[in-house]
Amino acid sequence: QMRAPSRGGRLLAAATRSISSPPKIRSVADAASHGLGGPPPAKQRMDLASTPNVLITSSGLNSAQAIRDLTAAVYDAGGSIAASKKVVLGSHYSLLMALWLPEATPASAAATLSKTLEAHVAGGASLSVVPLESTGGGAEDATVTRRLKIECPQKPGIVLTVTQLLQDHGAVTSQMEAGTSAREGAIWFEIECLVELPESVVEEVGAQLAFWSDGAGAKLLFDASPFRAPLEAA
């Protein structure tokens, strides 16, 4: 048969309940009276004149906490994410993130964010913070975007050949994906990218790519179709 708790036991149980049950907070005044402070300060939103002024690059083991810690640091620094891209290969990730910090030069924004990242992000991830200087608008040739996709038997030097050809014509890639696969007992290589190039050289670049692909036994697509569209058989 269980014994009734003593008076001392009842007092201890009551004290324990009061400690484990947090006070009910119904207003900012209630929070202040319990020493909990007020709401966090408001963050400044981007407006139409806001442009990214700092770039983060990060890579490491892929996990939800890694990205959560990174975005917490951005928030605490008062920053806003203007654009971001993340890719994962196996168990590792690589990320680019363009940020805007209000009322800051690119150099001061990078310094502020670097300090905040040190406090938030655990070791193991590779991080760098780069100021984004504004590029002045000058008179340039009109550029167009073309999708380039190549499939061919794998061999070293394919990407070098293509990127050298593009560089020779003032073209740059804005997106790129590449990979290998087994087909009929051999390894095939596939690369797809978006190419920004002067409109005046589009035909010449297309002709040179076609000449190279014929000699390499490659399937080639170079046109204005959307990224990741299916490659038609030659």
Side-chain angles (χ1 to χ4, degrees):
Q1 184 175 1
M2 296 182 61
R3 296 171 54 189
S6 65
R7 182 172 183 274
R10 291 195 298 272
L11 290 175
L12 178 61
T16 303
R17 285 196 299 272
S18 66
I19 293 173
S20 60
S21 301
K24 294 183 179 180
I25 306 299
R26 297 184 177 87
S27 66
V28 174
D30 287 344
S33 67
H34 288 92
L36 300 179
K43 305 295 183 179
Q44 186 172 336
R45 295 184 177 184
M46 297 180 70
D47 57 31
L48 295 179
S50 303
T51 57
N53 49 20
V54 65
L55 178 74
I56 292 177
T57 65
S58 175
S59 61
L61 286 173
N62 189 38
S63 69
Q65 181 178 354
I67 305 304
R68 186 269 172 197
D69 290 348
L70 187 60
T71 53
V74 171
Y75 179 82
D76 281 359
S80 294
I81 298 174
S84 181
K85 287 186 180 294
K86 176 187 174 185
V87 295
V88 176
L89 284 176
S91 60
H92 286 72
Y93 78 92
S94 183
L95 176 140
L96 288 170
M97 188 178 288
L99 309 170
W100 173 76
L101 271 68
E103 301 177 1
T105 65
S108 65
T112 298
L113 194 58
S114 294
K115 293 179 181 179
T116 311
L117 286 170
E118 290 177 2
H120 276 275
V121 180
S126 173
L127 283 167
S128 66
V129 181
V130 181
L132 288 179
E133 302 291 346
S134 176
T135 57
E140 298 180 355
D141 293 339
T143 60
V144 295
T145 301
R146 292 293 182 267
R147 172 175 174 253
L148 170 62
K149 186 170 182 179
I150 297 169
E151 291 182 359
C152 61
Q154 189 278 331
K155 68 176 181 178
I158 296 172
V159 177
L160 174 60
T161 300
V162 173
T163 53
Q164 183 63 60
L165 188 155
L166 296 176
Q167 178 186 337
D168 291 345
H169 292 84
V172 295
T173 57
S174 58
Q175 294 187 49
M176 180 184 291
E177 293 186 13
T180 54
S181 60
R183 300 184 191 178
E184 300 177 356
I187 300 298
W188 277 63
F189 179 77
E190 176 182 325
I191 182 172
E192 180 177 4
C193 54
L194 287 180
V195 181
E196 313 287 338
L197 72 169
E199 190 172 10
S200 58
V201 302
V202 171
E203 290 187 10
E204 182 179 353
V205 170
Q208 291 192 20
L209 285 170
F211 178 80
W212 171 82
S213 65
D214 288 343
K219 297 178 180 179
L220 171 72
L221 187 66
F222 182 64
D223 62 14
S225 61
F227 195 60
R228 300 299 298 172
L231 179 67
E232 296 180 1

